[in-house]
Each structure stands twice: as structure tokens, then as C-alpha cells.
């Protein structure tokens, strides 16, 4: 579930860049006992990588009552992160120091969605 800095999805994200900031939507389902590992990953992100690449957490919260969703589509947590541009996100996930902590995220999650968003004009 880690972002592969050499992967086709990241290459497509960068190639489809409309310019300007990008807001990344993270929908998270924790593995058994995974919340602590994710919190450690999030600490590294907040303290090191977001400041280094100009990112900021806009929202982080625990999933609550599901009002409308298909079966299996409730999430344990939602995190919304803004980066100055897609290239900054790409540089972060390619950073060798970042790669050293991605195992914390991978170990923490049983399922996740990571989706770039484009603002409505």
C-alpha cells in the first residue's frame, strides 16, 4: 500500500498535473493493532516530511456514523493533506528517508485509498 516512487500511478499523477496545489484524500482502514503504527508514521510525516516539502494536514479524523455507503465502505480514519504541487508530493515519496518509514504505514493498514483531487473551477 505504499506509494512506489517509480510506479505507473505516480508517473500518471505527475503527467496529469493541472498545476497548483494538490489535496490528497486518504481513506484508512487499520489492521488489527495498526493504529499505533500509523500514529508513528504520521508523527514522522508531521515533524519531518510535510515541513520539508511544504505539505500540511488540513484535516485528520476518526470515521463515525456511516449515512450512505456500499457495504464495506466505512473507514476508520480520513486524512486530507495539501501539497504545494504534485511535484512536491512526488519528491517526498521518492525521498530515501521517507522510504525508510513507509513500512509503518503499510503495516498499519489493511486497506486504504490515496487519491489526488483537483479543485472545482
Amino acid at each position: 500500500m505504499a506509494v512506489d516512487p517509480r510506479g505507473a500511478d505516480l508517473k500518471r499523477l505527475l503527467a496529469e498535473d493541472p498545476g497548483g496545489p494538490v489535496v490528497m484524500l486518504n481513506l484508512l482502514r487499520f489492521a488489527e493493532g495498526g493504529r499505533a503504527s500509523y500514529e508513528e508514521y504520521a508523527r514522522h510525516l508531521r515533524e519531518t516530511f510535510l515541513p520539508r516539502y511544504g505539505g500540511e494536514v488540513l484535516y485528520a479524523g476518526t470515521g463515525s456514523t456511516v449515512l450512505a455507503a456500499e457495504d464495506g465502505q466505512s473507514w476508520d480514519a480520513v486524512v486530507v493533506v495539501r501539497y504545494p504541487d504534485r511535484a512536491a508530493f512526488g519528491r517526498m515519496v521518492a525521498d530515501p528517508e521517507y522510504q525508510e518509514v513507509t513500512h509503518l504505514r503499510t503495516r498499519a493498514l489493511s486497506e486504504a485509498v490515496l487519491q489526488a483531487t483537483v479543485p472545482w473551477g
Side-chain angles (χ1 to χ4, degrees):
M1 263 180 276
V3 177
D4 179 354
R6 298 167 308 277
D9 291 336
L10 182 60
K11 288 177 185 168
R12 191 170 70 241
L13 174 83
L14 298 173
E16 295 173 352
D17 189 354
V22 63
V23 175
M24 301 295 286
L25 171 67
N26 295 260
L27 303 174
L28 311 174
R29 187 165 295 117
F30 295 114
E32 184 75 30
R35 188 175 293 269
S37 181
Y38 191 85
E39 288 172 359
E40 186 178 349
Y41 164 78
R43 180 181 59 78
H44 287 285
L45 204 64
R46 278 190 320 272
E47 293 176 2
T48 302
F49 302 107
L50 293 180
R52 184 178 294 171
Y53 294 99
E56 67 174 310
V57 175
L58 300 178
Y59 178 83
T62 300
S64 184
T65 305
V66 175
L67 300 176
E70 299 294 323
D71 287 342
Q73 291 303 304
S74 62
W75 298 94
D76 295 328
V78 173
V79 180
V80 179
V81 182
R82 180 183 181 276
Y83 295 89
D85 51 44
R86 291 178 183 214
F89 176 79
R91 287 190 306 274
M92 183 186 79
V93 299
D95 184 321
E97 286 182 65
Y98 176 81
Q99 289 295 315
E100 291 176 13
V101 301
T102 58
H103 72 280
L104 297 168
R105 183 181 190 279
T106 302
R107 181 173 60 206
L109 302 173
S110 63
E111 190 174 1
V113 171
L114 175 59
Q115 183 173 0
T117 68
V118 177
W120 289 350

